[in-house]
Amino acid sequence: HTTLFSDVHAQLHNVTQDLAHFRKCALENDQARQAEVDALRRKLEKERNEHREQLNKFRYEFDDIVHGKIETLLDMIEVIHRTEKKDDQKQLDAIKTLRSEMRLIKENCKVVNKSWDNFAARVRHARESAVTATKALDAMAHSVPRREFDQTFLMPQPQ
């Protein structure tokens, strides 16, 4: 009976060896696939961390840039306000200067007007008119000899 079943035993032995071999291959493949999956998970986790770090870095840089620009704008606005205040002060000073100059001009106009009024009054009341003075000179010129008239009225007198 050993010979009778020896082929079957051999075949059964071969099948069990094949099964053991396939089981070993399947375990090795499972371990290899598990190692690949673990490696991919680590790589994915590493990429997530790098992405997160890069995003945070970008966010911080962006915040720094924005805050820097805002600080620059605030400084510029402050400078503009200071400049406007200086300009306002300059304008106020210029207005004060113009006011004082206008007062001086008004006072000078008053003085000129008063002088003109005095001159006009003198012309009307205290001084002879030019026509009357010319007639008087002509009359004198006819009554006084020419040479004496020229020496008295036209020629400068030595002093």
Side-chain angles (χ1 to χ4, degrees):
H1 99 64
T2 32
T3 57
L4 177 69
F5 291 107
S6 89
D7 282 341
V8 173
H9 281 300
Q11 192 142 14
L12 188 61
H13 177 62
N14 287 339
V15 169
T16 55
Q17 280 183 342
D18 285 344
L19 279 175
H21 174 69
F22 287 140
R23 182 176 289 152
K24 181 181 172 190
C25 286
L27 284 175
E28 287 175 357
N29 285 339
D30 282 348
Q31 289 174 349
R33 298 294 170 252
Q34 189 63 38
E36 286 179 20
V37 167
D38 289 342
L40 289 173
R41 282 185 181 153
R42 285 191 301 272
K43 184 178 179 183
L44 182 62
E45 188 63 31
K46 181 181 175 185
E47 287 179 3
R48 282 183 187 160
N49 288 335
E50 288 174 356
H51 179 70
R52 189 177 301 125
E53 287 176 14
Q54 190 176 19
L55 188 61
N56 287 336
K57 181 180 175 185
F58 174 72
R59 185 178 300 143
Y60 292 132
E61 287 176 358
F62 182 75
D63 285 347
D64 288 343
I65 289 170
V66 168
H67 287 295
K69 295 292 183 180
I70 289 173
E71 286 295 323
T72 304
L73 286 174
L74 291 175
D75 290 343
M76 290 172 69
I77 289 170
E78 184 64 31
V79 168
I80 289 170
H81 285 303
R82 276 188 260 134
T83 304
E84 285 177 354
K85 286 179 182 177
K86 287 179 185 176
D87 289 345
D88 289 347
Q89 189 60 42
K90 286 180 183 178
Q91 285 179 344
L92 289 174
D93 292 343
I95 289 170
K96 286 179 183 177
T97 303
L98 286 173
R99 282 182 181 165
S100 64
E101 288 178 9
M102 287 298 292
R103 283 188 193 113
L104 287 174
I105 289 171
K106 284 181 181 180
E107 290 173 12
N108 289 338
C109 284
K110 287 178 184 177
V111 169
V112 168
N113 194 20
K114 186 176 180 181
S115 296
W116 180 257
D117 287 343
N118 290 340
F119 176 76
R122 194 182 91 212
V123 166
R124 275 187 243 124
H125 302 294
R127 210 179 97 184
E128 294 180 42
S129 70
V131 174
T132 308
T134 305
K135 281 183 185 177
L137 284 175
D138 283 342
M140 281 178 44
H142 291 302
S143 64
V144 178
R146 177 83 179 155
R147 188 172 206 192
E148 191 179 317
F149 178 80
D150 286 346
Q151 286 175 352
T152 306
F153 294 104
L154 299 178
M155 298 290 215
Q157 298 292 326
Q159 298 194 16

